[in-house]
């Protein structure tokens, strides 16, 4: 995963909550356009890692850079290049889809109309633009949230279980969008519990008890555990 | 109805109550606050009404001064002033009651005009001064009965600002502050905790927004609402209840945005420490309950013990009430009304600082 001009280059990132370590010694080096799946059991440290990379949490230990900026001192300029899709629905339910998108566009790309039009087209949102988010189904709401997270065409996209609770069609759409963004140069980290989906990622990092191992290709990870599939390998790792 | 089911639900509810911090606040903190305030601070009757005395000579006021000093419920302001001085002291707000003793007719001064003793009362808050008036009057007639030669000049009581002693005139200008305070502190405390529970706060944190930008952006709309709300209460007071608007109403309305912003910032600071919306609301109640009790809204400020007045002065509501009653009843000019802006300005800066220092992080 070494690249000459890394988007993420961190070493030994650790984070504790009240003395209890949540993430220990994460190291990662990712270049432009790479897609990495973060897999592993609940509480393994995937979300904490994403939040540190997003600049929402300060690491208690470690060093490195995200998009060239010190990971321990996240800057506003850096936030403009990062898209972060949280597990929970992070849209204002009282606002319409158009109003939610307009807010993100104003903050992230100076109200760029073209950017708003592009996400409406790319994610086929025209039919729900005037609907309030509270009126949308779960699938549509996640679609809007994804669109809002990438409205500024981020260089780094951090997705925390973006497909949880979605139907098969919307999941397929979402992976299509992820592939499209990666092809455009965005580096993408996707946390997921769906291991069939994780197999779509060229590389995966396995999290367990706050420690990460990898990256591996899904096939390599499965072979390493002597399992036939990624899912079987993860279950075998969890039982160790 | 199954007893076993009821017990199962009750057991779970017990565990939840015992393990919730909200229970601690509801069952212990708020009642403790009420017991302490009502037990130690609240005295419905004025314990120390400030009185200024004026007379042609200090000697002619000797009996009055002695009587006032004997009564612990009066506090003499300054020395005996020249005629007119007591009224000036009341009008300047330094005393609630002024006693203007005229030149009394006596054997040694038989040509003195037969004019009554004037009692000038700041009737802005009649619940405070009515009892004082009655005590002074009773004392006067008792003294007169004991000294039949003193000459029955009589008493003339002049109530300034609120001659009919209308309680609604006292309460309504203050109510403008109370309604804005409660609404804004609730709004401020919910603004963040609602987002945090709803899941949008973490996303907001990931945007290129400074903590100060979020704080000011969240406070601005509420400030406009609070200003409108306060102005409507004042208008209703004037239109429906004939509350006089004798002073600078513009200055008072100009204070409203600052007052509203102060409480929004305090609410925001509370929400920074609150894990849930319910906890934030409890924090808001824990703030505005003592504010209402110690600001002079429910009980006259002058009836509070000194320590409670010191705490009361820390609440922006105390200053707003003085400004509001000054701008409406007392006819205070803009400069006098705006003097009350300083404590609010200090409060809003302190609250904003606290909100930023303890700014809520994503969970």
């Amino acid at each position: 995963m070494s690249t000459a001009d890394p988007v993420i280059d961190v070493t030994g990132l650790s984070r504790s909550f009240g003395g209890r370590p949540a993430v220990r010694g994460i190291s990662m080096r990712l270049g432009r356009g790479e897609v990495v799946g973060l897999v592993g059991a609940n509480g393994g440290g995937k979300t904490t890692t994403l939040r540190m990379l997003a600049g929402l949490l300060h690491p208690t230990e470690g060093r490195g850079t995200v998009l060239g900026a010190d990971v321990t001192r996240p800057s506003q300029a850096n936030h403009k290049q990062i898209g972060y899709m949280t597990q929970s629905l992070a849209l204002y339910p009282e606002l319409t889809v158009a109003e939610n998108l307009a807010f993100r566009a104003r903050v992230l790309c100076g109200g760029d109309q073209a950017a708003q039009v592009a996400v409406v087209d790319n994610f086929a949102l025209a039919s729900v633009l005037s609907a309030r988010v509270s009126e949308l189904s779960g699938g549509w709401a996640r679609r809007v949230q994804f669109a809002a997270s990438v409205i500024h065409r981020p260089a780094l996209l951090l997705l925390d279980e973006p497909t949880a609770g979605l139907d098969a069609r919307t999941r397929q759409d979402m992976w299509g969008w992820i592939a499209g963004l990666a092809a455009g140069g965005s580096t993408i980290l996707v946390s997921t519990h769906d291991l069939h989906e994780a197999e779509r990622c060229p590389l995966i990092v396995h999290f367990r008890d706050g420690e990460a191992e990898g990256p591996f290709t899904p096939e390599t990870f499965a072979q390493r555990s002597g399992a036939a599939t990624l899912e079987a390998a993860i279950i075998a790792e969890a039982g160790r | 109805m199954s007893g076993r089911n009821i017990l199962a639900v009750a057991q779970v509810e017990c565990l939840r109550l015992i393990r919730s911090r909200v229970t601690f606040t509801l069952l212990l903190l708020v009642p403790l606050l009420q017991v302490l305030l009502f037990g130690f601070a609240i005295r419905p009757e004025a314990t120390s009404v400030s009185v200024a005395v004026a007379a042609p000579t200090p000697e002619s006021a000797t009996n009055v001064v002695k009587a006032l000093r004997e009564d612990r419920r009066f506090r003499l302001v300054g020395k005996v002033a020249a005629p007119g001085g007591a009224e000036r002291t009341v009008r300047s707000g330094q005393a609630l009651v002024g006693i203007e003793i005229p030149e009394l007719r006596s054997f040694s001064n038989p040509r003195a005009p037969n004019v009554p003793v004037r009692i000038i009362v700041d009737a802005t808050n009649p619940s405070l001064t009515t009892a004082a008036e009655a005590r002074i009057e009773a004392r006067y007639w008792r003294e007169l009965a004991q000294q039949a030669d003193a000459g029955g000049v009589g008493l003339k009581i002049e109530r300034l600002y609120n001659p009919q002693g209308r309680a609604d005139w006292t309460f309504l200008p203050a109510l403008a502050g109370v309604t804005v305070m409660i609404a804004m502190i609730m709004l401020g405390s919910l603004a963040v905790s609602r987002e945090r529970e709803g899941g949008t706060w973490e996303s907001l944190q990931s945007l290129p927004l400074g903590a100060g930008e979020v704080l000011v952006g969240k406070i601005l709309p509420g400030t406009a609402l609070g200003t409108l709300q306060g102005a409507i209460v004042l208008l209703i007071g004037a239109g429906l209840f004939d509350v006089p608007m004798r002073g600078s109403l513009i200055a008072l309305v100009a204070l409203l945005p600052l007052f509203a912003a102060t409480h929004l910032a305090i609410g925001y600071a509370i929400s920074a420490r609150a894990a849930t919306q319910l906890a934030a609301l409890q924090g808001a109640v824990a703030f505005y309950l003592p504010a209402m009790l110690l600001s002079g809204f429910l009980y006259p400020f002058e009836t509070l013990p000194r320590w409670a007045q010191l705490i009361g002065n820390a609440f922006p509501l105390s200053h707003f009430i003085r400004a509001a009653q000054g701008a409406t009843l007392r006819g205070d000019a803009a400069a006098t009304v705006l003097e009350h802006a300083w404590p609010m300005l200090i409060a809003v800066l302190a609250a904003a600082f606290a909100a930023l220092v303890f700014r809520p992080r994503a969970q």
Side-chain angles (χ1 to χ4, degrees):
Chain A
M1 218 170 5
S2 298
T3 61
D5 190 15
V7 173
I8 296 174
D9 186 6
V10 293
T11 307
L13 284 194
S14 299
R15 171 72 198 200
S16 300
F17 294 104
R20 189 179 59 83
V23 164
R24 287 179 289 193
I26 303 281
S27 298
M28 201 178 280
R29 189 176 166 86
L30 295 179
R32 281 188 77 227
E34 291 199 86
V35 180
V36 179
L38 308 185
V39 297
N42 286 331
K46 301 186 294 293
T47 298
T48 302
T49 301
L50 288 177
R51 292 178 65 202
M52 282 194 287
L53 296 174
L56 293 176
L57 276 179
H58 290 270
T60 39
E61 280 177 46
R63 59 190 168 78
T65 59
V66 174
L67 293 162
D70 188 344
V71 72
T72 61
R73 292 194 195 114
S75 68
Q76 282 194 33
N78 222 30
H79 278 138
K80 280 195 173 179
Q81 300 183 71
I82 299 175
Y84 179 47
M85 184 174 172
T86 57
Q87 278 183 48
S88 56
L89 186 64
L91 298 168
Y92 292 107
E94 309 87 350
L95 270 57
T96 65
V97 170
E99 288 162 345
N100 269 289
L101 292 177
F103 168 63
R104 305 283 295 208
R106 280 182 77 176
V107 174
L108 287 164
C109 42
D112 184 0
Q113 288 290 325
Q116 292 178 62
V117 170
V119 290
V120 169
D121 286 345
N122 292 343
F123 297 93
L125 299 175
S127 62
V128 294
L129 270 181
S130 57
R132 289 189 182 188
V133 167
S134 58
E135 299 164 354
L136 299 179
S137 68
W140 273 103
R142 291 299 270 180
R143 179 188 286 251
V144 175
Q145 191 180 354
F146 191 98
S149 305
V150 300
I151 199 165
H152 54 309
R153 294 200 155 273
L156 173 63
L157 181 59
L158 305 167
L159 303 171
D160 199 355
E161 297 187 34
T163 58
L166 297 183
D167 60 45
R169 172 68 195 273
T170 314
R171 284 165 182 253
Q172 194 176 19
D173 286 348
M174 203 161 275
W175 280 101
W177 300 326
I178 289 170
L181 285 160
S186 296
T187 301
I188 302 173
L189 268 73
V190 192
S191 147
T192 182
H193 284 294
D194 189 316
L195 300 174
H196 297 296
E197 288 186 0
E199 284 174 342
R200 294 173 181 254
C201 300
L203 294 168
I204 60 163
V205 172
H206 178 234
F207 281 78
R208 186 179 166 191
D209 298 332
E211 291 180 1
E213 50 179 357
F216 309 101
T217 63
E219 296 77 21
T220 312
F221 185 75
Q223 285 164 10
R224 200 190 66 139
S225 305
T229 62
L230 180 60
E231 186 167 17
I234 296 282
I235 292 168
E237 287 288 335
R240 280 186 188 174
Chain B
M1 293 275 275
S2 154
R4 183 183 290 179
N5 289 348
I6 291 171
L7 276 178
V9 173
Q11 188 183 7
V12 168
E13 199 57 27
C14 276
L15 289 171
R16 293 185 65 203
L17 284 172
I18 291 165
R19 290 172 190 173
S20 164
R21 280 189 189 179
V22 170
T23 310
F24 170 77
T25 317
L26 269 181
L27 296 184
L28 292 176
L29 193 63
V30 171
L32 188 69
L33 207 59
Q34 286 171 320
V35 167
L36 289 177
L37 289 177
F38 278 102
F40 290 116
I42 307 302
R43 300 279 181 274
E45 198 179 312
T47 49
S48 174
V49 170
S50 49
V51 183
V53 178
T57 61
E59 292 74 29
S60 56
T62 307
N63 285 343
V64 173
V65 168
K66 184 168 172 274
L68 290 171
R69 284 195 172 135
E70 283 171 359
D71 192 331
R72 282 184 29 229
R73 282 173 288 193
F74 293 113
R75 178 170 52 84
L76 204 58
V77 175
K79 292 179 180 173
V80 175
E87 181 174 350
R88 278 195 299 275
T89 308
V90 173
R91 287 188 183 277
S92 69
Q94 294 170 56
L96 287 170
V97 177
I99 301 176
E100 289 280 351
I101 300 170
E103 199 175 357
L104 294 176
R105 188 181 292 179
S106 65
F107 290 118
S108 57
N109 188 11
R111 290 187 182 175
N114 196 14
V115 292
V117 173
R118 287 171 63 223
I119 309 294
I120 301 105
V121 178
D122 179 341
T124 307
N125 193 339
S127 68
L128 174 64
T129 47
T130 305
E133 274 178 37
R135 268 202 307 280
I136 289 174
E137 213 167 357
R139 182 89 194 198
Y140 171 79
W141 292 116
R142 197 168 68 222
E143 290 287 328
L144 201 63
Q146 288 168 357
Q147 301 171 20
D149 62 336
V153 290
L155 281 182
K156 186 185 172 199
I157 295 179
E158 297 172 24
R159 296 188 185 94
L160 302 179
Y161 315 128
N162 187 3
Q164 295 163 288
R166 289 181 61 167
D168 53 343
W169 284 15
T170 306
F171 271 104
L172 280 164
L175 190 65
V178 170
T179 52
V180 172
M181 174 188 73
I182 293 176
M184 295 303 109
I185 205 155
M186 293 277 192
L187 209 61
S189 61
L190 285 181
V192 173
S193 52
R194 192 172 59 166
E195 283 215 35
R196 198 151 48 177
E197 280 188 42
T200 47
W201 186 251
E202 187 172 25
S203 176
L204 197 65
Q205 294 278 296
S206 73
L207 296 176
L209 293 166
E213 290 170 336
V214 175
L215 173 68
V216 175
K218 286 205 162 285
I219 280 177
L220 272 181
T223 302
L225 279 179
T227 305
L228 187 67
Q229 185 189 33
I232 288 171
V233 174
L234 290 172
L235 277 175
I236 290 172
L240 279 184
F241 298 94
D242 304 317
V243 175
M245 299 289 167
R246 299 186 183 116
S248 176
L249 193 61
I250 293 172
L252 182 59
V253 172
L255 277 185
L256 277 170
L258 183 59
F259 183 68
T262 302
H263 288 95
L264 283 162
I266 291 168
Y268 195 99
I270 289 170
S271 74
R273 308 304 296 169
T276 63
Q277 291 185 57
L278 186 58
L281 286 179
Q282 284 186 323
V285 172
F287 178 87
Y288 75 65
L289 182 73
M292 285 172 69
L293 292 173
L294 302 180
S295 62
F297 174 67
L298 289 177
Y299 303 99
F301 194 80
E302 291 75 6
T303 64
L304 302 173
R306 183 80 189 129
W307 64 266
Q309 290 186 354
L310 285 172
I311 297 172
N313 272 328
F315 291 108
L317 180 65
S318 307
H319 303 279
F320 184 85
I321 288 175
R322 283 169 212 155
Q325 291 177 341
T328 53
L329 300 179
R330 280 195 296 273
D332 286 349
T336 310
V337 176
L338 291 174
E339 277 174 13
H340 299 284
W342 286 108
M344 293 184 210
L345 199 62
I346 292 167
V348 75
L349 291 175
F353 178 73
L356 293 175
V357 167
F358 301 119
R359 72 175 180 271
R361 303 300 305 177
Q363 294 297 299

